[in-house]
Amino acid sequence: MEILLVLLGLVMIGFVLVPFLRRTRGGIAQVPPGHPDAADPAAYGFALEEQLDIRMPGPDQDLLDVLELVQRTQDYRGAQQLLAGTDAKSELRWQRVQAFAGAAALELAARPGGAGEAPGGQWLRAWRAEAPKDAGGAAVHAEFLVQQAWRTATRGTDEFRIIMEEARAACGDAALLAPGDPVPYIVELSVARGLAYEHKDFEQVWLRILDRAPAHMGAHLAALHYWCEKWHGSRELANSFAEAAAARAPQGSLLAAMPLFAVFEHLPEVNLVSGFYQSQVVTRAVHGALHAVHSARPDDPMAAHVRHLLVFFLVRGERWAEAMDQLIHIDGHVGALPWTLSPDPAAEFAVYRALAVAGYEANGGSPATLPH
């Protein structure tokens, strides 16, 4: 384990190690500290930390191209066209709605306006004003309001509730513009969490989603937050929701990975040791997630979300080779759990990646032995 500590000191000076990294463990062959070939992620073709994209969990070049165009020209029409050409019930459309809303929110945060300067995100305002009947713009606006509430207001305050109530109304407007579109209702799941919907009211929103897109992974992840112990449910309700989703998952669906997300949502906050990550509960959830990504379509946009969470669990469980197998699929993008919970997602991901490389090499692995 000493080599891992040396490595951590190199890649993140000043990083506070969690308890499981401080312990010692036998059975791992040691690579001499300072060895030129010891635990070098660059040897595997991995991106430098400063090159990691924190905006998305995986590649979507069409989205990036349109975002660059919209933000450079402040003309919303590229975003409008991209969403119009994206299947309303697809995971990709939900991710693109989130991305456009997030971009507008970040622009506004960077340029709040005042003193003669126009606020950021004017393209979204223009979109809603010039194309009020456009379903894509309405969905992005609803998600923008949700993100604004969580980013700029404190839960429980009047300001938070006012923004969330506005978001709820925007969700209703978006739903009327596209009756078969699940996205407005998926946005409302976050509103339900923020406004503490009663269980029966939440279930009504959830049933509307199931009627439109019963296997929507993004919707299930959003709903899981509501059912967690830290929000409006319990560990038991969250696990039950996740297990039920996995049980009814169609062939090739990533819903089989839902139990792993439920485990993550209820991790103990202190005294984490590898024994927990090698327990039966975690092992079963990890195996379900591994099966899900192996069975899913290679282009499934939600696969990256599952793979990022697998890296977290596989590294903590010291399953180095399996962690490396996930890394080769997702490296370069870190806009997913668990990294987005950190103030510096790229640095957090880089630490886990470095640990995976160190553990892999300490057990005889090398760039030559890693399949691509």
Side-chain angles (χ1 to χ4, degrees), residues 237-259:
L237 285 171
N239 287 338
S240 176
F241 176 81
E243 294 289 350
R248 67 171 181 269
Q251 179 64 31
S253 168
L254 287 162
L255 290 178
M258 284 298 298

Side-chain angles (χ1 to χ4, degrees), residues 26-42:
I28 297 179
Q30 297 294 301
V31 179
H35 189 285
D37 296 326
D40 180 10

Side-chain angles (χ1 to χ4, degrees), residues 302-318:
M302 293 303 294
H305 288 272
V306 180
R307 292 186 187 278
H308 279 288
L309 197 61
L310 275 168
V311 169
F312 173 87
F313 278 98
L314 292 170
V315 167
R316 289 201 167 192
E318 299 183 2

Side-chain angles (χ1 to χ4, degrees), residues 229-285:
E229 187 175 62
K230 61 187 175 184
W231 288 107
H232 309 298
S234 65
R235 183 188 301 266
E236 291 72 26
L237 285 171
N239 287 338
S240 176
F241 176 81
E243 294 289 350
R248 67 171 181 269
Q251 179 64 31
S253 168
L254 287 162
L255 290 178
M258 284 298 298
L260 187 63
F261 285 88
V263 170
F264 178 76
E265 291 291 344
H266 295 91
L267 287 176
E269 295 183 359
V270 295
N271 297 325
L272 304 184
V273 296
S274 68
F276 171 80
Y277 293 94
Q278 295 164 354
S279 67
Q280 183 178 0
V281 170
V282 174
T283 298
R284 184 169 62 248

Side-chain angles (χ1 to χ4, degrees), residues 278-304:
Q278 295 164 354
S279 67
Q280 183 178 0
V281 170
V282 174
T283 298
R284 184 169 62 248
V286 166
H287 286 169
L290 286 169
H291 171 75
V293 294
H294 291 155
S295 303
R297 301 188 325 270
D299 63 344
D300 191 319
M302 293 303 294

